[in-house]
Amino acid sequence: MPLLKLDKVSLHFGTHAILDAVDLTIDNGDKLGLLGRNGAGKTTLLKLLAGEIAADSGERWLRPGTRLARLEQTLPDAAGLSVYDTVAGGLEEAGALLAEYHQLIHGDDMDALARVQQQLEAVDGWNLQQRVETTLSQLQLPADALMSELSGGWRRRVALARALVSEPDILLLDEPTNHLDIPAITWLEEQLRNFRGCLILITHDRRFLQNVVNSIAELDRGHLTVWRGDYRGFLRHREQELEAEARANELFDKKLAQEEVWIRQGIKARRTRNEGRVRALKAMRAERGERRERQGRAEFGVEEASRSGKIVAELQHVSHAYGDKTLLRDFNAIIQRGDRIGIVGPNGAGKSTLVKIMLGELTPDSGTVKLGSKLEIAYSDQLRGQLDPEKNLIDNICGGRDFIDIGGKQRHAISYLGDFLFSPERVRTPVKALSGGEQNRAILARLFSKPANLLVLDEPTNDLDIETLELLEEILLEFEGTVILVSHDREFMDNVVTSLLILEGDGHVDEQAGGYGDWEARGGRLSDLSATGKRREEAAPPAAANTTSEKPAPAPAKQRKLSYKDQRELDALPALIETLETRQRELEAQVAEPDFYQGEHTAVQQVLGDLAGVQEELEQAFERWSELEG
């Protein structure tokens, strides 16, 4: 018996058909990837499946007792809530009681605590509390950390925990890989592969899609086509379907043209014409008028400047740090004309910092950076900082002018922006009102409007649909200049770059030939980041992991004669070291936050002082352990 069904569901926004008599059946075990162009209505369909909006016509049926949860595309608010409170909120009324109970057990209001305990017992709250704690443990989340202290990737993980804590039968995910680095994306893949319920997810990450789903649904011009199989199989199927559609349309248009010629023949032919044929022609005209043409493909390219010098950039003994966090340590590199370099690493490892140092926008703490000659640089940052949100597209990209110089020729601004799939009405819209995908296309329009021989792209794939991604890949492959690319999209990296710079987060930069998949095939793997921002080696258990000291982690004491007091101290040292390392990671996470040094001076100094004190205690603990064991 199915869990969820749509039967002849239609939904229109004005004259635009989002869904046109759509049918969809979700069975137990389905893991469905939902595809479509930007603006096709994927998020709207997800909201309709969740029951958050109603269709214009048709029926949505959900099997009684089926639990459903949705992970939204936007991150949860980084307010003053704790991780525990946020996750417990996924249990609605019982979750609010659990959050209140969690706060009261740390206080002294015994009357309020007793009242909440009584209410929890009435709603089976203790079993729900166990569920919250289990979910936090499985996703390795710090219960008492504040949401405002977590990075975007870890807030995304908290949002997933909030969705999972209700143990849904159907989990709806909207761009779940947004704000995640490669280790976190790999972790999420594993979580979703092991999820026992049904999945319906929207993503533009092709590798993620291939690794997670077992069926594909494509929303195109209001119609939903379902393919049972993996993503690569769907691509082959879609290509065949589009070829068949093109042939059918060609034959139809040819026949319609012949009938139009017939109907316009001379008076004698009109006197003797077949009325049935006339009615058939009218029906063909109506059918042709109702045909929804597939949205055009974006058409853009890079205007190449004159060739740069052979050496694009040379970095010698470059080191850089933020506070106590070393991002680069004695890094040397030579970038030559024609190189296609991908920069990968966990969030916070220093990828964007390295790019800015390479471009001369940021001076390193030590070392030298020499830029080559005749460089024409086109740089796109991941924060879309080059666009004024209050101005429209023509003002942002064309400086308010009606014409723009492209390749030495004048082009009308509306025509040029049309290459990036912006309608004439849309080019007058303020940037702040555009979707994420539209803003990214606008950045590409601005980027490619000027000649360049060095392209530097920081997370260019965010929010782009798959077809635009593939076109961008083709353009970069045809570009004869130098490309430096920062991305968490593994498929995109494999298709574009020829070498990698891998930042592990400890200051070391590893250079590897080939794409990300080539490096993985040789055994390469990015280390995960703990919730406190510190790198964690997968192979080592938390109690033995020591990523800040060259000394080995505590091992069982050697057989030797110790006093009772010394033996007790030795036995307690591993737990103490683990506690200190945990506290060190928490403090380092605060220091690693981008806006940490913008805070109040007293608070900044307090955290730095606490970190220095913990590091000193940790060193003393290691020395004492070594002394007692020896």
Side-chain angles (χ1 to χ4, degrees):
M1 187 177 179
L3 298 178
L4 177 63
K5 286 182 66 176
L6 298 182
D7 184 20
K8 298 293 185 291
V9 167
S10 295
L11 180 65
H12 294 75
F13 288 163
T15 59
H16 179 51
I18 301 296
L19 303 173
D20 188 1
V22 161
D23 295 322
L24 179 65
T25 300
I26 302 299
D27 294 313
N28 197 23
D30 281 350
K31 294 186 176 179
L32 180 72
L34 183 56
L35 304 184
R37 300 292 293 270
N38 290 137
K42 300 184 298 296
T43 298
T44 300
L45 175 55
L46 217 60
K47 290 179 179 179
L48 192 146
L49 289 170
E52 297 175 12
I53 60 175
D56 296 335
S57 63
E59 182 183 0
R60 169 189 176 269
W61 178 85
L62 183 68
R63 189 171 76 181
T66 300
R67 292 186 299 273
L68 192 148
R70 185 167 79 92
L71 176 66
E72 298 183 17
Q73 186 173 353
T74 55
L75 285 173
D77 187 23
L81 292 176
S82 70
V83 170
Y84 186 97
D85 295 348
T86 304
V87 173
L91 296 173
E92 299 179 346
E93 181 182 354
L97 289 174
L98 286 172
E100 185 178 359
Y101 174 77
H102 188 71
Q103 296 168 3
L104 289 171
I105 58 175
H106 299 293
D108 54 5
D109 190 345
M110 303 308 296
D111 292 338
L113 183 61
R115 173 183 53 81
V116 172
Q117 285 177 327
Q118 186 177 9
Q119 291 176 318
L120 282 172
E121 289 173 359
V123 295
D124 195 25
W126 305 123
N127 286 333
L128 295 177
Q129 181 190 29
Q130 182 64 35
R131 190 189 299 177
V132 172
E133 292 173 352
T134 300
T135 304
L136 291 171
S137 175
Q138 289 175 340
L139 274 65
Q140 302 173 9
L141 294 171
D144 295 320
L146 295 178
M147 291 291 291
S148 57
E149 297 174 351
L150 299 183
S151 66
W154 280 92
R155 283 160 58 199
R156 171 68 62 180
R157 187 175 288 199
V158 172
L160 180 61
R162 180 186 174 96
L164 290 175
V165 74
S166 63
E167 296 184 350
D169 301 297
I170 302 176
L171 181 60
L172 308 174
L173 305 174
D174 194 350
E175 294 290 356
T177 62
N178 278 2
H179 308 285
L180 298 185
D181 55 18
I182 292 176
I185 292 172
T186 305
W187 168 88
L188 181 58
E189 284 178 359
E190 187 67 24
Q191 297 291 320
L192 296 183
R193 277 198 297 263
N194 295 330
F195 180 65
R196 296 181 180 179
C198 293
L199 286 176
I200 303 175
L201 63 91
I202 299 171
T203 182
H204 297 143
D205 188 321
R206 292 159 291 177
R207 178 84 67 89
F208 183 83
L209 201 62
Q210 175 67 23
N211 291 344
V212 172
V213 307
N214 57 25
S215 56
I216 299 288
E218 183 181 35
L219 185 59
D220 178 27
R221 294 164 286 176
H223 301 296
L224 193 68
T225 305
V226 178
W227 162 262
R228 298 295 175 180
D230 63 9
Y231 173 65
R232 292 195 178 98
F234 164 76
L235 291 179
R236 294 189 293 269
H237 167 74
R238 182 176 63 175
E239 185 175 356
Q240 295 169 358
E241 289 290 309
L242 290 177
E243 288 176 357
E245 180 183 352
R247 286 195 300 269
N249 287 342
E250 184 180 355
L251 290 173
F252 180 92
D253 292 344
K254 183 178 180 180
K255 184 178 180 180
L256 177 61
Q258 292 171 344
E259 295 299 291
E260 292 288 359
V261 171
W262 170 79
I263 199 68
R264 289 176 175 80
Q265 287 178 349
I267 296 174
K268 181 180 179 181
R270 285 202 299 273
R271 242 188 251 123
T272 60
R273 65 192 176 193
N274 185 309
E275 292 300 326
R277 192 172 176 181
V278 173
R279 288 193 296 272
L281 174 58
K282 291 180 179 179
M284 290 179 69
R285 287 174 174 172
E287 183 179 346
R288 181 62 183 86
E290 292 175 358
R291 183 193 300 173
R292 294 179 192 145
E293 298 292 351
R294 186 172 178 84
Q295 185 181 11
R297 192 185 190 200
E299 297 179 2
F300 52 87
V302 184
E303 183 184 350
E304 295 193 24
S306 58
R307 283 159 58 107
S308 67
K310 184 176 181 180
I311 301 299
V312 173
E314 183 176 1
L315 291 79
Q316 295 182 337
H317 306 293
V318 169
S319 296
H320 194 74
Y322 282 130
D324 293 333
K325 183 175 178 60
T326 300
L327 299 180
L328 299 172
R329 181 183 292 111
D330 196 29
F331 174 54
N332 298 279
I334 296 177
I335 301 173
Q336 302 187 58
R337 183 180 62 235
D339 283 350
R340 300 174 182 278
I341 300 172
I343 301 177
V344 298
N347 286 335
K351 300 184 295 297
S352 297
T353 299
L354 175 57
V355 166
K356 291 178 180 179
I357 289 176
M358 285 180 171
L359 297 179
E361 293 187 3
L362 182 64
T363 303
D365 295 340
S366 62
T368 60
V369 179
K370 297 179 182 178
L371 295 179
S373 59
K374 301 179 181 178
L375 286 181
E376 296 286 344
I377 302 173
Y379 173 42
S380 166
D381 69 359
Q382 63 175 311
L383 300 178
R384 305 188 175 104
Q386 299 167 339
L387 298 176
D388 186 335
E390 300 299 328
K391 295 182 178 179
N392 62 31
L393 286 175
I394 288 183
D395 291 338
N396 266 290
I397 296 167
C398 308
R401 304 187 305 273
D402 289 334
F403 289 86
I404 183 171
D405 187 74
I406 302 293
K409 299 180 180 179
Q410 289 285 307
R411 286 195 61 186
H412 198 282
I414 292 179
S415 173
Y416 175 67
L417 291 170
D419 291 346
F420 295 81
L421 301 182
F422 290 110
S423 65
E425 298 80 15
R426 206 65 174 156
V427 301
R428 304 291 182 182
T429 303
V431 165
K432 65 182 180 182
L434 301 178
S435 69
E438 288 175 320
Q439 289 186 26
N440 224 6
R441 290 206 307 270
I443 288 177
L444 294 177
R446 181 185 178 98
L447 187 72
F448 296 154
S449 66
K450 299 177 182 178
N453 51 35
L454 171 59
L455 280 178
V456 184
L457 307 176
D458 195 347
E459 295 293 350
T461 64
N462 285 346
D463 301 312
L464 291 182
D465 59 50
I466 290 177
E467 290 187 2
T468 307
L469 276 178
E470 291 172 347
L471 177 60
L472 180 57
E473 288 174 354
E474 293 175 12
I475 290 170
L476 294 180
L477 289 174
E478 294 171 358
F479 180 61
E480 295 182 357
T482 307
V483 176
I484 299 175
L485 173 66
V486 179
S487 179
H488 297 312
D489 189 323
R490 296 158 292 175
E491 186 88 3
F492 188 79
M493 297 283 277
D494 280 343
N495 294 340
V496 172
V497 307
T498 56
S499 62
L500 294 177
L501 295 178
I502 302 152
L503 284 70
E504 284 282 2
D506 56 2
H508 176 69
V509 181
D510 186 20
E511 298 184 58
Q512 293 283 336
Y516 189 84
D518 299 320
W519 177 59
E520 273 189 318
R522 295 193 293 268
R525 184 180 181 187
L526 287 174
S527 301
D528 197 3
L529 287 181
S530 71
T532 55
K534 186 174 176 56
R535 191 157 59 105
R536 175 179 61 81
E537 297 298 337
E538 294 283 345
N546 174 29
T547 59
T548 59
S549 175
E550 296 298 323
K551 299 182 180 181
K558 296 179 180 179
Q559 297 296 322
R560 60 182 296 267
K561 196 70 174 176
L562 289 174
S563 68
Y564 176 76
K565 180 180 178 181
D566 287 345
Q567 185 64 54
R568 288 286 300 274
E569 183 180 0
L570 179 60
D571 292 342
L573 276 173
L576 173 63
I577 290 172
E578 181 181 352
T579 300
L580 291 172
E581 285 181 333
T582 299
R583 178 57 179 159
Q584 183 186 38
R585 288 192 292 266
E586 293 172 352
L587 294 169
E588 285 181 341
Q590 295 183 48
V591 174
E593 288 293 327
D595 57 352
F596 171 73
Y597 289 96
Q598 299 174 9
E600 295 185 4
H601 178 73
T602 305
V604 169
Q605 293 302 313
Q606 178 67 42
V607 173
L608 293 177
D610 291 346
L611 179 58
V614 169
Q615 289 172 334
E616 183 178 353
E617 288 183 56
L618 188 58
E619 189 69 25
Q620 291 173 355
F622 272 112
E623 289 178 0
R624 182 56 176 161
W625 171 81
S626 180
E627 176 185 343
L628 289 175
E629 194 203 28

